[in-house]
Amino acid sequence: MRELRIRVLAGVFVVAAILSWAGARLWNSIGTLPSVPIAAPIVLALIAVVLTATALSLRARLKAQRERRPEAKGIDPLMAARAVVFGQSSALVAALVSGMYGGTGVFLLESLDIPARRDQAIYAGFSVLAGIAVIAAAIFLERVCRLPEDDDHENGSTSTA
């Protein structure tokens, strides 16, 4: 399995932000801009919490296994691979969604004097922050599930789980 690349996530974020900003300008010239839901940052934050909890749980179990504790539970490699895939997919979706809300938020910065638009800009900003938290948690989860022999490779193409 390939590692997440920060460049890919940043590229998805930037392209989504630019397209969202242009779409918001176009949509605003035609009519009213669709709202940024208050649930967006909440859902992204919950995903970040789930990813972080999974990573911490797996890290504790792997540490107990390495220390050969008698009560240590083994980790099924397929479960670790599923966790990594969940983290990677969450990070890609979070980069896309954060870029969309980031572009919309940048557009909304032009009209902060309108209370409704100011609230929407705040929700968009929190959505971007929560999306960054999802990406950070997914990268942490991926690092936790990295195989020990991957650190010995010099070719740079490491794999996870």
Side-chain angles (χ1 to χ4, degrees):
M1 200 177 301
R2 292 192 162 271
E3 272 188 353
L4 277 175
R5 302 230 187 261
I6 302 294
R7 289 179 295 208
V8 171
L9 295 173
V12 168
F13 177 85
V14 168
V15 168
I18 291 170
L19 290 175
S20 178
W21 175 79
R25 285 179 51 100
L26 178 64
W27 198 302
N28 191 50
S29 67
I30 294 173
T32 61
L33 188 66
S35 65
V36 177
I38 193 168
I42 295 169
V43 169
L44 287 170
L46 286 174
I47 293 171
V49 167
V50 168
L51 287 172
T52 303
T54 302
L56 291 174
S57 172
L58 288 174
R59 185 175 73 168
R61 289 173 66 182
L62 286 170
K63 182 179 178 187
Q65 207 173 15
R66 275 193 305 269
E67 294 173 354
R68 300 189 191 281
R69 293 184 195 158
E71 75 278 358
K73 296 182 196 173
I75 295 179
D76 181 27
L78 189 56
M79 184 193 73
R82 287 179 182 154
V84 170
V85 169
F86 173 61
Q88 288 180 344
S89 60
S90 297
L92 286 169
V93 169
L96 179 67
V97 169
S98 296
M100 288 172 39
Y101 288 132
T104 303
V106 168
F107 173 75
L108 290 170
L109 289 177
E110 298 171 359
S111 55
L112 288 179
D113 53 335
I114 303 169
R117 294 260 175 132
R118 182 176 45 244
D119 291 344
Q120 296 299 306
I122 290 170
Y123 300 155
F126 281 137
S127 296
V128 171
L129 292 176
I132 291 170
V134 169
I135 292 169
I139 290 173
F140 176 59
L141 175 63
E142 187 178 60
R143 299 297 187 259
V144 166
C145 292
R146 182 181 290 165
L147 294 174
E149 61 266 12
D150 289 342
D151 297 332
D152 298 335
H153 293 295
E154 290 90 23
N155 62 4
S157 63
T158 60
S159 62
T160 56

